[in-house]
Structures are given as structure tokens and as C-alpha cells.
Amino acid sequence: MTQSPASPPPLYAPREPIFPRRVKGTYRTLKWWIMGVTLAIYYLTPWIRWDRGPNLPDQAVLVDLAGRRFYFLWIEIWPHEFYFVAGLLIMAGLGLFLFTSALGRVWCGYTCPQTVWTDLFILVERWIEGDRNARVRLWNAEWSFKKFRLWMTKWVVWFFIALATGGAWVFYFADAPTLARDLVTFDAPLVAYSTILILTATTFVFGGFMREQVCNYMCPWPRIQAAMMDESTLTVAYRHWRGEPRGKHMKAEDADQRGDCIDCMACVNVCPAGIDIRDGQQMECITCALCIDACDEVMERIGKPRGLIDYLALSDEEAETNGAKPRPIWQHVLRPRTILYTAMWSLIGVALVYALFIRSDIDLTVEPVRNPQFVTLSDGSVRNAYTLRIRNLTAEPRAFRVMLTSEEILRIDVESDGEVANHVTVPANETMQARVYVIARPQDPAADAETTDLRLWVEDVETDDRAGVATIFNGKG
Amino acid sequence: MADKKDIDEVTGTDTTGHEWDGIKELNNPLPRWWLWTFYGTVAWGLAYTIAYPAWPLINSATQGVLGHSTRAEVAQEIAEVNARNAEVSERLAAADLSTLSPDDPAHRFGVAGGASVFLANCSQCHGQGAAGVQAAGYPNLLDDAWLWGGTLEDIEFTVRHGIRNDTDPDARWSEMPAFGDILSDEEIAQTVEHVLAISGQEHDAAMAQQGMVWFEEQCSACHGLNGEGDRSLGAPTLNDAIWLYGGDRETLIETVTYSRFGVMPAWGERLEEFEIKAVTLYLHQLGGGE
């Protein structure tokens, strides 16, 4: 070490406050719509009713953790069908790959909850305190009654939005109207209150105070995206070749040698990440496209073509510098990579839909009793026991006939609460266990064979729908 | 130093001012909230060790001001479950098993609870699957042969009082003499051939013919003329396919010569009333109940 500074620079930096200016334009309008739709979906979904008959809950989307069921409109997922959820997660992952390789961080910029709620919180901030300049002035002002009143109003509104956000989450896990009443009368379970408390706190802090810090320091996605983007990926960029050298336009002598950028800082002032897009692609950029709107507005005003800041791929800058025409969007998006992602995504989607349509509303698993493998009866017969789990996936109780098929002669006895019966009645939407005995008489070959293949069946007494499982019979051999 | 920022030329980033052989250390400051979060976790960690058992001492550890103990938590959970089951277990304890409906919650509770009573107390001899151990003479409880009867009433009595024990005066009791002192080896061999014959196994017909005489004279009082057994005496059926100790020639000779004396403890004093009823219900539904 050759030198040691007397006072080293600070190793921890405070957050630089960002005051995004209001902007109007195509992308801003699109974002307002997306915000409205996504927030409406989030807040309203638990209140949609869906009639499933008297035995099942009537909430359209319900994650019933205690009952181990997931209800989604007409679809009901049991724990053993969790592959549907796994498949959806894989589709979500592939979808993310697809959109990132085609459109960069479009998820971050438009639909990420962090972006949507931050946008909402900034909207509230602007309603109460005014636009960028007013907010900067208020931030720098000495403490006064006005500052206190404005900030307190803002915080209270934020708090209620956060409370509604945390509150809406728990409604996905219980009957919403009942839980809402219980929450108000303090009869709701503790976990509901603690979940609301935690989510209210995170929404309030992340949306109101941390904002881009969440993206820059807490979220892994900005780092992962680099691996998924390539030189053809569309991302928000500045046409360097067109804008530089930048300068205040006016009537300077070298005006015609200057580029289109008049250095008005509009793109910087509207940026919720607090960056300058003209510095090139950078980690903090969530591609919210607000700088495109801001710049287009200015370009229009000074009579220059739009698109100084635009959706561009990295390779476009070089090509356009050399005089090539801007490439159309579809040429960016339609590439082997994105086509492959789309194909994989669709394949899994089709497979899931197929699996959904072919799935039976009866499900049977057979667990042969292996301790002991067989029991010899007093007349020399050999008996095996099987535990059947019969799932009735419908909303009505159903009676099932239990049967077996085998190449050899075997007899079946079904035990229901100690009584020998040949029907098992399974209540609606439940799993029932039944103990089944299969018997080979001493003279039957199965009694002396080591194993005999058989298939156990349950058959709906009324509709004759059936499900079968192959298993084996252990003999004395 | 502090007034002039030292900027690295290549990256345009601040440096800490440290330099080793021309290599400068860049300064990408962490956010300050991260630092406070870190302090917060340290404080939380310390508070946690005060609130909960944590610091090791010489013979024990600090107990924590909240008085939390996982052992006490388990005890409390068990007590809660028992309290929840108190009503149904009282109902089961007072029930008459022969008239208890299978739909009664007490019945379902008994079958499920009886399984764990069985595993904890009975499986050591009768095996986890209740299939018994033939080599040691522990009866198989799954089949349809019962020494002392397989009705709910019979099973409950056997569980409560046991078999051939000195602790319970009501224990089921019977004793087979050791015929090694009564019959000659040849006579025993002939008797065994007869038993093989009535149970449908390979045998020497001539010897069996002779053995029938000894059987009628010595064995039929308990085991019956045809070897059908007698449950009131716990005398096993000999003309079926089920054997307590084994039905081959060698084992039968050993049994007749030296006799057998299987013992089961009385569980009446050891188990709760509802546990006895529960394990009875459980055994009865294993496939052999009468």
C-alpha cells in the first residue's frame, strides 16, 4: 500500500431520492391499463363466487391449505395432482425466458408487483404533493406544518393501500366474506393477522421508501437477465448515432452539426430508477419505457422524428450507424431462440390441458399389506390383504363396487368396518380407505405360486366409471 | 484526500484511495439501509439468545426469559390431544363393544387408537403386522383360528386377563402334560402320525392307525375325538392348516414330548380401560374377528 487516505470515502451510501416527473404517451397509457387490470385481478379475484354444489366451497379461486385442495374456477387440484402446479411454474419460467430474450426486462417494467405498486405509490405522492418540482421543493424545505401535513397524508394513504394489499392476500386462503367478517370482529386466526401485518409492512416500505432499491439490491432478476438477453433482444435504448453530440439547440453556431438530443433531461426526470438512459444499457434500467414517452413528446415539440429513445436491440445501434434502416419489431422477436421457447412453452401447456381433460374423477391407489405377505387360513386357503385408497373427486357421494381381474382363480372380500360388503361409499371430495382381502383356495394354483398378477378395480355403481391398479398376490411358493 | 474524489479511469468508479502496485481498490458503496438491516439482524440475534434457551453453561444452558422449552411444548401438545379425545375415549371405555356401531366415532377412534396401543404394547411378541412368530409360539392374530375365541368379548377378556400368568387369578389357564413321562417314544411317534393324518398331511398309515388309540385315550379329552379342539380349554384345533408352533413331524413330536406353556401377561392393570377396548376393536377388524 503506497498511500493511506486520511479519511477514506464512505463505504455506505444513503439512497438518492428520486422524483419521477409525470409523463404522457403510448407506453404510459399502456402501463396505466396494465396497472388497473393487474391490481383489479389481485384485489377482486377472491370475491368471485363459483357454484360447485352444496358440498364444496363457492369461491372461484381458493387455496384450501387445511383441506389440501386448490380450487380454480371449474378445476379442483388435489395434492397428488400437484404436477399441474409444477407444470404451471415451469410454464411461468419458460414464459419469463421467452419474454426476456425477446423483449428484455418487460416483466420488470410493466407487470412486476414491485413496479406496479411503486407506480401506484408515486401516483398517490403526486396527487398529494404535486409533480416533480413541487416534490423536490418539499423534500428540501425546512420542517413546517405544511410539510408535515402533506407527508402524513401521503403516508396514511400509502398505509391503507398497503393494508388492503396485505389484507387481500389472506382472502385467497379462506372463504373471503367469512374471513372478512372474522377479521373485523377479531375472530380470525392469528396467522391471518400476522400475514396481513407482514405484507402491509413490506408493501408500505417497498412501495413507499425502497422502490428501486428492491430491484437493485434485493432482486436477483437484474443479474439473471444478462444471461438471457442477447444482441437481438429488444430493450429500451438511446440512438446514440442520432442524438450526439448533444446540446441545447437554439441558435448556436454549430447547431447543424449537433445531434437531435437537446439535453433537456426529460428522459432522466421521468425515470423511476433515477438513471440516464443515454449512458447505455445498465443494470438499474427496468425498461419501463417512460423515457421513450418523455423523449417522443420533446422530439415532436421541436419537430424532429420520434424514436430518439426507443425499443432497440444492441445490434441495431451499430447497423443503424452504418446507415441501415431500423428493423421492424417482428424481426427482433422472431428468432430461433424465441421460437424454441414458445414451442416448449406451448408443448407443456398442451400437455397440461390434455392431462386436465383425460383425468378421471375417480382415483385409486393400492397398497398391498406386506407384513405379513400372506395369511394361511384354517382350511388352508391363502389370503392377502390390500389397503385401497379411493378418491372421489366429485361433489357427490359415490358408491363403488370393488372387483378384481386375474388370469387365475381368486376371490375378493371387501371389509367395511368389520362387515364384509361389496360396496364402499366414498363421501364427496374425500379419500376413503378400504381393506380388501383376496383369497386363493388350497387347490387354486395361486395359493402355491410365488406371485400371481391381478388388477383391483373400483367401479361406480351408478355410472360404471372405473379405475384399476395392477398389483400382485403372494402365495406360499 | 477527502475533498478530492479519486476516480478510476477505466471504470469511472470511485476508489477507496487504496493502491497496491498501481492497482486501485474500487469503491461501490453498499446502501446504508443494508448496513442498518445488518445491525438489526445482529440485535435480533442477541435478543433471541436472551429470549430463548441459547448460551451453553457448564452443566446446562441459559433458559431464556420466555421460559420456552420444546419438551414442555410436546407435553402440552400431548395433553391438548388427550383433552380433545377425553370425551370419545370415555365413551369408548363405557361402551359395550358387541353393540357398538361401526359408525360410532368411538368405534373409529378405537380402531385407530388400538393400532398404536398394539404397536406399543403387543407387537414385541405378536409382530408389527400381528402375524405372530411361529418359532416362538406367538399366535398369528390375522387368521381365522383362535385358541380362546375370536369374538369381541373373547378378545377383550384375553387382553384384560392374559394367559397362564401368575398375576391375574382370572387369567385363561390350561396346561398340556408333557407326554414324554406318560407315553414311550414309539407311542408318541404313533400319536403324531395320527395327528398328521387328521390334519391332511403325509403320514404312515399303519403307525397312525395305532396312534389313533393313544390319541383317543390321551388327547381327545381336550382336543376332541377328531382333533377339533376346545376353546373353553384353549385346546388348539389339530385338524386344520394352522399351527401355533408348527405342524411338521419333528415339531409335533417335540410338542407332545415336552408340552408347551405359552404365557401372556394380563393387561387389565397396565392399560387404561379405553385402551383395552381400543386394542380389542383393532384386533377384531384385522381379518380374523368373529
Side-chain angles (χ1 to χ4, degrees):
Chain A
M1 201 191 286
T2 52
Q3 51 172 320
S4 178
S7 57
L11 299 176
Y12 301 97
R15 173 178 183 254
E16 295 286 341
I18 299 170
F19 307 94
R21 187 171 63 77
R22 187 176 180 199
V23 64
K24 277 181 183 165
T26 321
Y27 294 107
R28 180 65 266 185
T29 310
L30 177 64
K31 279 166 71 75
W32 287 135
W33 276 105
I34 291 176
M35 182 206 270
V37 171
T38 50
L39 287 178
I41 290 174
Y42 176 73
Y43 288 117
L44 299 181
T45 302
W47 299 91
I48 303 171
R49 301 290 102 183
W50 192 274
D51 184 23
R52 295 189 182 84
N55 299 309
L56 295 180
D58 65 346
Q59 186 157 320
V61 178
L62 176 66
V63 183
D64 181 1
L65 289 178
R68 293 180 176 77
R69 298 284 184 276
F70 171 52
Y71 301 94
F72 184 81
L73 306 182
W74 68 94
I75 304 168
E76 181 189 344
I77 305 276
W78 287 43
H80 70 283
E81 294 170 315
F82 201 74
Y83 52 82
F84 281 113
V85 180
L88 284 176
L89 287 175
I90 294 171
M91 282 177 76
L94 282 173
L96 218 48
F97 297 170
L98 169 63
F99 276 94
T100 305
S101 68
L103 299 168
R105 289 174 65 184
V106 65
W107 163 261
C108 302
Y110 292 86
T111 41
C112 175
Q114 175 65 23
T115 297
V116 171
W117 262 276
T118 299
D119 230 15
L120 180 64
F121 274 46
I122 291 174
L123 179 68
V124 169
E125 195 168 65
R126 192 166 62 231
W127 275 342
I128 292 166
E129 296 176 10
D131 207 356
R132 175 180 157 84
N133 294 343
R135 298 212 298 278
V136 174
R137 265 201 310 279
L138 191 67
W139 176 275
N140 292 324
E142 293 287 313
W143 273 105
S144 65
F145 175 71
K146 185 191 171 202
K147 183 170 180 173
F148 177 79
R149 177 175 55 86
L150 288 174
W151 277 21
M152 195 47 93
T153 316
K154 172 177 80 176
W155 288 341
V156 167
V157 177
W158 280 357
F159 173 78
F160 279 107
I161 294 173
L163 189 66
T165 306
W169 179 257
V170 296
F171 291 140
Y172 284 88
F173 297 87
D175 183 56
T178 315
L179 182 61
R181 199 181 54 228
D182 288 350
L183 281 169
V184 176
T185 56
F186 296 101
D187 289 327
L190 187 64
V191 65
Y193 290 108
S194 55
T195 305
I196 292 175
L197 186 73
I198 290 169
L199 290 180
T200 303
T202 51
T203 310
F204 187 71
V205 173
F206 288 0
F209 302 96
M210 299 206 42
R211 296 183 181 175
E212 82 292 343
Q213 300 281 306
V214 173
C215 310
N216 293 346
Y217 294 105
M218 292 163 74
C219 179
W221 190 234
R223 275 79 176 173
I224 296 171
Q225 62 150 351
M228 296 182 196
M229 289 168 65
D230 54 33
E231 68 285 351
S232 301
T233 301
L234 277 177
T235 181
V236 175
Y238 166 66
R239 283 198 162 91
H240 207 265
W241 62 270
R242 201 184 123 187
E244 300 297 317
R246 70 184 80 153
K248 306 271 182 244
H249 228 275
M250 299 323 224
K251 297 164 186 156
E253 285 167 20
D254 55 348
D256 23 334
Q257 281 150 45
R258 286 203 184 141
D260 286 351
C261 175
I262 56 166
D263 209 9
C264 65
M265 301 299 277
C267 57
V268 177
N269 289 342
V270 299
C271 180
I275 57 167
D276 187 341
I277 192 65
R278 296 171 299 175
D279 295 344
Q281 202 187 48
Q282 48 211 293
M283 191 203 75
E284 291 85 352
C285 176
I286 57 170
T287 71
C288 66
L290 293 182
C291 50
I292 300 180
D293 282 345
C295 190
D296 279 350
E297 203 182 345
V298 173
M299 286 297 115
E300 226 154 71
R301 219 181 302 152
I302 63 168
K304 298 274 180 185
R306 295 161 70 110
L308 179 58
I309 301 174
D310 204 352
Y311 268 109
L312 286 176
L314 283 178
S315 56
D316 291 348
E317 171 71 22
E318 200 188 334
E320 291 182 14
T321 308
N322 295 332
K325 287 208 163 165
R327 286 198 291 159
I329 301 259
W330 68 267
Q331 275 189 9
H332 288 100
V333 173
L334 274 187
R335 285 178 286 136
R337 187 173 167 182
T338 54
I339 292 170
L340 184 69
Y341 283 143
T342 312
M344 287 161 68
W345 187 86
S346 317
L347 200 69
I348 295 176
V350 169
L352 284 182
V353 171
Y354 178 70
L356 198 62
F357 275 105
I358 62 155
R359 76 177 179 151
S360 165
D361 51 13
I362 315 169
D363 193 87
L364 172 69
T365 58
V366 171
E367 186 194 328
V369 174
R370 287 279 173 263
N371 179 15
Q373 289 189 318
F374 63 87
V375 174
T376 309
L377 301 181
S378 52
D379 66 354
S381 302
V382 174
R383 188 181 70 192
N384 280 207
Y386 303 84
T387 304
L388 267 54
R389 274 191 184 75
I390 309 164
R391 300 192 181 97
N392 174 10
L393 277 66
T394 65
E396 303 296 327
R398 295 167 86 178
F400 292 103
R401 221 175 273 132
V402 185
M403 305 177 298
L404 73 78
T405 50
S406 173
E407 310 247 313
E408 300 293 340
I409 303 163
L410 292 167
R411 202 187 83 211
I412 188 164
D413 278 345
V414 182
E415 188 178 89
S416 172
D417 293 315
E419 300 285 318
V420 173
N422 44 10
H423 288 179
V424 176
T425 303
V426 186
N429 200 33
E430 270 191 38
T431 303
M432 186 87 165
Q433 270 195 36
R435 204 173 153 92
V436 167
Y437 298 111
V438 175
I439 297 160
R441 292 170 303 171
Q443 66 269 30
D444 297 334
D448 291 317
E450 192 175 337
T451 58
T452 305
D453 291 326
L454 76 144
R455 188 174 271 272
L456 289 168
W457 297 90
V458 290
E459 186 181 77
D460 188 305
V461 171
E462 283 171 27
T463 64
D464 290 350
D465 288 343
R466 63 173 82 101
V469 171
T471 182
I472 55 164
F473 180 87
N474 289 298
K476 287 175 175 171
Chain B
M1 204 60 230
D3 53 331
K4 181 172 116 323
K5 271 199 171 173
D6 201 353
I7 304 289
D8 176 61
E9 283 173 20
V10 180
T11 59
T13 308
D14 291 353
T15 72
T16 59
H18 300 154
E19 187 177 335
W20 292 267
D21 298 337
I23 300 170
K24 288 176 181 173
E25 183 186 25
L26 302 186
N27 180 24
N28 286 298
L30 271 176
R32 202 169 55 192
W33 61 262
W34 186 94
L35 184 69
W36 287 110
T37 308
F38 174 66
Y39 290 152
T41 59
V42 173
W44 175 272
L46 280 174
Y48 202 88
T49 65
I50 294 165
Y52 287 93
W55 298 104
L57 305 173
I58 291 170
N59 292 320
S60 62
T62 54
Q63 293 304 303
V65 293
L66 292 186
H68 174 85
S69 151
T70 45
R71 190 176 285 264
E73 210 167 62
V74 170
Q76 193 196 338
E77 279 173 20
I78 292 174
E80 276 171 18
V81 171
N82 284 343
R84 252 203 317 275
N85 287 337
E87 196 183 328
V88 69
S89 52
E90 271 168 36
R91 185 178 164 78
L92 177 62
D96 175 5
L97 293 187
S98 53
T99 57
L100 188 65
S101 157
D103 295 329
D104 197 302
H107 192 284
R108 280 200 287 273
F109 173 75
V111 171
S116 58
V117 173
F118 181 86
L119 285 178
N121 299 289
C122 318
S123 64
Q124 291 83 345
C125 294
H126 290 285
Q128 284 206 351
V133 183
Q134 194 174 55
Y138 301 130
N140 183 334
L141 305 174
L142 305 169
D143 59 30
D144 56 347
W146 296 90
L147 292 169
W148 300 92
T151 65
L152 284 165
E153 204 182 336
D154 292 333
I155 296 173
E156 186 185 336
F157 189 93
T158 306
V159 172
R160 193 182 297 281
H161 302 291
I163 295 166
R164 298 186 194 93
N165 60 59
D166 298 328
T167 48
D168 191 321
D170 292 329
R172 299 199 187 268
W173 195 283
S174 67
E175 198 169 346
M176 173 166 150
F179 285 93
D181 304 331
I182 301 165
L183 299 174
S184 72
D185 286 355
E186 199 196 344
E187 288 163 346
I188 288 175
Q190 288 164 341
T191 311
V192 165
E193 289 305 318
H194 174 70
V195 172
L196 288 171
I198 60 174
S199 58
Q201 303 187 69
E202 267 182 56
H203 59 277
D204 183 319
M207 283 175 78
Q209 194 66 33
Q210 186 57 41
M212 186 163 77
V213 179
W214 308 126
F215 187 87
E216 283 176 10
E217 190 178 307
Q218 302 288 348
C219 316
S220 62
C222 296
H223 289 289
L225 266 179
N226 303 313
E228 63 270 19
D230 184 345
R231 283 186 177 176
S232 64
L233 298 168
T237 309
L238 300 178
N239 59 4
D240 66 5
I242 293 176
W243 299 94
L244 184 53
Y245 290 86
D248 57 294
R249 184 174 284 114
E250 207 176 319
T251 311
L252 287 175
I253 289 176
E254 190 185 328
T255 303
V256 176
T257 308
Y258 302 106
S259 161
R260 304 286 186 181
F261 194 79
V263 173
M264 169 172 155
W267 293 95
E269 300 295 316
R270 302 193 193 189
L271 297 179
E272 303 279 341
E273 180 64 22
F274 79 90
E275 289 176 321
I276 290 173
K277 299 231 162 118
V279 79
T280 302
L281 288 173
Y282 170 71
L283 290 174
H284 189 258
Q285 56 85 56
L286 283 178
E290 293 172 346

